[in-house]
Amino acid sequence: MLHVENLHKSYQVGKTTYEVLKGVSLEVAEGEFVAVMGPSGSGKTTLLNCISCYIPTDSGSIRLGKLDLARLDEDALAKVRNQKLGFVFQDFLLLDGLTVRQNILLPAIISGSVSQQAETRADQLCEAFGISGIREKYPAEISGGEKQRTAVARALINHPLLILADEPTGNLDSKSTRAVIASFEQAKSALGATIFMVTHDSFAASFCDRVVILRDGVVWRVLAREGFAREDFQDQLLDAIREMGKE
């Protein structure tokens, strides 16, 4: 599904070049839930922005299915972002003047294709994520967890190949965090969604199939859950983070 190979990205500040990604390679299989963790400055957000093609890479390749994203022009990339990628952000980014249902339909509205099929899917997503009762409410009238579940539903409206989630639980309490992770699990199990999540939260990451740990712009370690209980997998993640800190 997603193939990242030997990805390099640097920034120029004055006469100084800062290399952020130093040859990152990873894969995410169809239907897989993968997290990226790492300390501040490890390159997590830069990696996500490169995959979404919001920033250009220096070298390397990013393939989404059969699409080589680095070779697409801006018009083609805009189409990919709207139709092939779904985005879930830390701050929800819901439009205050639209209802929950209208926010979910927003990608279809932008693409000019609000068909009966899209409206039916919006209602199905509301049902799947337990927000049918609030679909005519506005963002100011619902909780943080409900906002984030709305954002997950919006990310799925166009049947994307991949959902990119940037710290989706960063501003939430434990109850809302669990609700959002349950939404991702529901999207994966019931809808076959493929999810790539950047997070600093070992609790959220412990629900994933695999966790890629970045350090100083490279893949330091990849941990797979492989049948471990969630609590045991979280312990493995915490052990790895402590080990990285000692090094």
Side-chain angles (χ1 to χ4, degrees):
M1 177 60 70
L2 175 67
H3 302 269
V4 176
E5 186 173 353
N6 199 27
L7 195 65
H8 288 259
K9 175 62 183 176
S10 59
Y11 295 100
Q12 191 78 26
V13 180
K15 296 182 179 180
T16 305
T17 299
Y18 296 93
E19 193 175 13
V20 181
L21 299 179
K22 307 170 184 177
V24 171
S25 297
L26 57 87
E27 294 187 357
V28 180
E30 184 175 357
E32 196 175 21
F33 186 8
V34 175
V36 175
M37 296 186 71
S40 178
S42 61
K44 302 187 300 296
T45 298
T46 296
L47 175 61
L48 195 73
N49 287 335
C50 286
I51 291 171
S52 62
C53 294
Y54 281 117
I55 60 174
T57 62
D58 296 340
S59 62
S61 66
I62 303 169
R63 288 185 291 117
L64 181 63
K66 296 181 179 180
L67 292 172
D68 186 345
L69 300 185
R71 295 181 180 274
L72 301 180
D73 61 27
E74 191 56 42
D75 288 342
L77 283 174
K79 188 174 181 180
V80 167
R81 292 188 197 109
N82 190 54
Q83 297 181 0
K84 305 295 184 183
L85 296 173
F87 296 92
V88 181
F89 302 97
Q90 179 175 346
D91 296 322
F92 319 126
L93 296 185
L94 302 180
L95 297 184
D96 292 337
L98 300 182
T99 65
V100 164
R101 188 174 185 272
Q102 290 168 338
N103 267 287
I104 292 171
L105 282 165
L106 188 59
I109 294 171
I110 292 172
S111 64
S113 59
V114 186
S115 60
Q116 182 59 50
Q117 183 179 6
E119 295 199 23
T120 299
R121 180 164 174 79
D123 292 335
Q124 291 171 340
L125 290 169
C126 284
E127 182 68 26
F129 294 137
I131 52 176
S132 293
I134 61 167
R135 62 185 175 182
E136 298 305 324
K137 290 187 177 183
Y138 291 88
E141 302 173 314
I142 63 178
S143 69
E146 289 169 336
K147 289 178 183 177
Q148 199 62 300
R149 277 179 278 165
T150 300
V152 175
R154 179 183 60 191
L156 288 161
I157 189 67
N158 278 344
H159 302 274
L161 293 178
L162 178 68
I163 293 177
L164 298 175
D166 186 10
E167 297 282 7
T169 63
N171 289 334
L172 302 179
D173 58 28
S174 58
K175 181 179 179 181
S176 295
T177 292
R178 187 64 186 89
V180 170
I181 294 300
S183 297
F184 282 133
E185 291 182 312
Q186 175 77 359
K188 176 180 181 291
S189 62
L191 304 172
T194 305
I195 305 161
F196 187 71
M197 175 177 71
V198 166
T199 184
H200 68 278
D201 183 0
S202 63
F203 175 76
S206 67
F207 290 88
C208 294
D209 300 308
R210 286 187 300 127
V211 177
V212 178
I213 301 178
L214 293 186
R215 178 186 180 188
D216 297 330
V218 300
V219 176
W220 179 73
R221 185 170 296 177
V222 180
L223 298 176
R225 186 172 173 182
E226 293 181 337
F228 287 104
R230 188 209 62 77
E231 294 84 355
D232 294 335
F233 190 41
Q234 184 176 11
D235 287 341
Q236 289 186 43
L237 294 174
L238 292 171
D239 287 342
I241 292 168
R242 282 190 287 266
E243 182 182 341
M244 181 170 58
K246 292 178 181 178
E247 292 182 3

